[in-house]
Every structure is written in C-alpha cells, then in structure tokens.
Amino acid sequence: MTPIGTWILLAITAVVLYLCWAMVAPFVSVLTWSIALAIMTNPVSRWLRRRFSNTVVALLVVSLVVIVVALLATVVSRGLINEIVRGQQALRAALQPAAWQHTIESQPWLARIWHWGAPRIDLEQLAQQGSAAVAPFLAAGVGRSALILSEAGLSIFVLFFFVRDEKALADAFRGMLPLTAEEIDAVWERVSSAIRASVYGRLLIGAIQGLIGGAIFWAVGLPAPLFWALIMAVLSILPVLGAFVVWVPAAAFLVVTGHWVRALIVTACGIGIIHPVDNVLYPVLVGPRMGLHPIILLIAFIGGVIAFGAAGLILGPALIALAIALGDVWRRRAIA
C-alpha cells in the first residue's frame, strides 16, 4: 500500500472509531454497572457453572440480582410511604394556628421577629412562589428517576450476556490487545480488584453514614431511626444524593415543630460528622486495598463522578488502576 493509501486508511479508521464511540458513549453507565455486577457475582457464577450450562447460570444470576433489588426496593418503599404519612400528619398538626401560636409565644425572640415580619410579608404569595420554584426541580427529578430505572433495567439485561458469554467475550478482548497472556492477566486482576474495592468501599461507607445518622435520629427522638438509617445508608452509596436528603428535611421538620435545639444538633452533626465521612474514610479504607495513595484515590473518585456521573464511582478508580497496570507493563518491557 502506498503512503497516501496508508494515511487514508488511518483517517477512515479514526472516523469509524469516533462514530463507534459516539454510539457507545450513551451506554457507558449501563456497561459500567453491568461489568461491576458481573465481577461482584463472579464467585456465584463460578460455583453454578459446575452444575449448570452457561445460559442457566446467567438466568440464575440475573434472577438473584433482581430478587435482591426488588426486596430492598419493597422494604424501603413501604417504610418510606408509612413514614411520609406519619410525617404529613405530624406536620399538619404542627401547622395548625394554635400550634404555631404556641411555638412562637414560647420563644420570645421568635415572637418579636414574627410580630415584626407578619404585617410586612405576604405568606400566601411567598408560599405560591416557593411552590412554583420547586416544581421544575420535581419535574426534573421525576425524569431523572425514569432514566435511572431504564438504565437499571438495561444493565440487568446486559448482565445476562456478560455472564453467559464470559469466556467468549474474554477471549475476543484478549485477541484485540497487543499484550501477552501474563500481562493481560495482571492488568485485569488490578482493574477487577479496583472495581471490587470500589463497590465494597461504597457499601461500607454507606453503612457507616447510615449508622451515624440513625444514632443521631435516635438521640434527638425522631421516629423510626432504624428505618431512616437504612434510607441514609442507601442514599450514601449514590453520588450527588446522600444522607443529607434525609437529615436536612428532618432538621426542617424539627424547626417547624418547635424543637430548635434538636434541629441545630441534627444540622451540626450532619455537616460536621455525616457529610465528611465519605471524603475522609473512603480513601483511607479503600486506598490500601487498591494500592493507591488516599489523595490519588480521592481525585479518582471525585473526578470520576464529575466526568462520568454515577458510573464514575466505578470508572474513576478502575481507570486509575488500569493506568498504573499499563505503566507496570511498560516498565517490565523496558527492563527486558
């Protein structure tokens, strides 16, 4: 082939690769979570393969994942509905004129602010403006929830093929890489270990934040502290969301019901204890398992979430581990 032909072929290849990436990019999150689930369920898959065919193993693994997720969603949704109903009843009682008057009169400084501001502020108009401001965020939240559900369903669908065709996919992937079998095994071991450490680390951090939040709720006398500990643990696993989705409304509820000191305790503990646990403990607990310095892991975690969204929880540490593993490959080749 002539030099011009070679350059034309390279240009066509680059364009095709770019177009392929454009098609795959929307599914990065789906593929990431599917791979993570496949790695996490790999011990179960190996055990089942001694007894069943690959298709049956894939069906059993997917069924197990669906059952676990469905049970957790059922427990959380039922408890959440019950607590929302109880909270509405308590809030409705607290918003009665008599309850408001008692709360205001019991706090002299609050009574002075109320008597000064009541004639100057149109509370009804303020409430309408607040509702109008919140509506777009609620609509966006509903749309995002639908997207998350669709991605979750697609991830489980892809998981079936990852489990069923694990050997064929691994062989095809190995054939595409310009690495020896030993180098591929070393790279994959490092990346898979990073993914497992990331997932287990998120679960552990979520459990710690949930326990701390539940203990605070119990200490200030909020209802159902164990249930809200579970909710905070689940939310703490997710990026963007977190335990603050629970403790901020809880503090506001305490303010509305007149428990100012308890509200300040919840707010102070949420900001000073619950929130920092993620950024402080995650690098310390997960870093040694991945062989990474805590600062590097923190950058990988935060940078991954910024770059890839929820998938960055897995992709950030995995990409750092991949870069280090490839660096080791280059060093060994240079020595040899």
Side-chain angles (χ1 to χ4, degrees):
M1 182 180 292
T2 64
I4 295 177
T6 302
W7 282 107
I8 292 175
L9 179 59
L10 287 173
I12 293 173
T13 303
V15 171
V16 171
L17 289 175
Y18 171 77
L19 293 176
C20 289
W21 168 250
M23 291 188 295
V24 173
F27 299 95
V28 167
S29 179
V30 170
L31 294 172
T32 300
W33 292 113
S34 298
I35 292 173
L37 286 172
I39 291 175
M40 300 306 296
T41 57
N42 188 255
V44 177
S45 301
R46 288 181 178 178
W47 183 79
L48 290 173
R49 282 196 178 90
R50 302 171 188 169
R51 296 164 174 81
F52 305 104
S53 65
N54 289 337
T55 301
V56 175
V57 170
L59 287 172
L60 291 174
V61 170
V62 168
S63 300
L64 176 62
V65 172
V66 171
I67 290 172
V68 171
V69 173
L71 287 175
L72 181 60
T74 300
V75 172
V76 170
S77 59
R78 289 184 61 182
L80 191 59
I81 291 172
N82 293 334
E83 292 305 317
I84 288 175
V85 171
R86 290 177 57 184
Q88 286 179 335
Q89 294 173 348
L91 189 60
R92 191 179 299 114
L95 292 176
Q96 294 297 321
W100 265 108
Q101 190 66 29
H102 173 73
T103 300
I104 293 171
E105 296 300 333
S106 63
Q107 305 287 339
W109 64 273
L110 182 60
R112 288 194 295 270
I113 296 175
W114 175 260
H115 293 314
W116 176 86
R120 298 172 172 82
I121 300 174
D122 188 345
L123 294 179
E124 184 176 354
Q125 181 181 3
L126 191 62
Q128 292 176 352
Q129 292 175 348
S131 301
V134 170
F137 294 98
L138 293 178
V142 172
R144 182 60 182 165
S145 298
L147 179 61
I148 290 174
L149 289 176
S150 64
E151 288 184 350
L154 190 56
S155 297
I156 293 175
F157 176 74
V158 175
L159 173 65
F160 171 83
F161 294 100
F162 279 169
V163 175
R164 190 193 69 175
D165 305 324
E166 176 185 348
K167 187 177 185 305
L169 291 172
D171 291 341
F173 189 68
R174 285 171 178 268
M176 296 169 57
L177 296 177
L179 300 174
T180 65
E182 293 78 11
E183 290 171 342
I184 292 175
D185 290 339
V187 170
W188 175 246
E189 178 59 30
R190 184 133 198 173
V191 173
S192 59
S193 297
I195 292 176
R196 284 193 295 269
S198 298
V199 174
Y200 288 136
R202 292 308 312 168
L203 293 175
L204 179 59
I205 295 300
I208 293 174
Q209 289 184 300
L211 287 173
I212 294 174
I216 294 170
F217 276 34
W218 173 80
V220 299
L222 284 167
L226 288 177
F227 170 76
W228 290 118
L230 174 62
I231 296 295
M232 283 187 276
V234 172
L235 292 176
S236 297
I237 298 173
L238 306 174
V240 182
L241 299 177
F244 74 91
V245 176
V246 174
W247 64 258
V248 169
F253 175 80
L254 290 172
V255 170
V256 171
T257 54
H259 301 291
W260 298 89
V261 176
R262 297 180 185 179
L264 289 174
I265 293 174
V266 171
T267 302
C269 291
I271 296 174
I273 300 177
I274 299 177
H275 182 67
V277 164
D278 197 346
N279 294 334
V280 173
L281 286 185
Y282 182 80
V284 173
L285 294 176
V286 179
R289 294 192 60 182
M290 294 176 58
L292 296 177
H293 191 277
I295 296 298
I296 296 177
L297 183 59
L298 182 63
I299 293 173
F301 169 61
I302 298 176
V305 171
I306 293 173
F308 303 104
L313 288 172
I314 306 297
L315 276 179
L319 288 174
I320 292 294
L322 176 60
I324 294 174
L326 292 176
D328 291 339
V329 169
W330 281 107
R331 273 196 300 272
R332 292 193 189 98
R333 290 189 175 186
I335 294 173

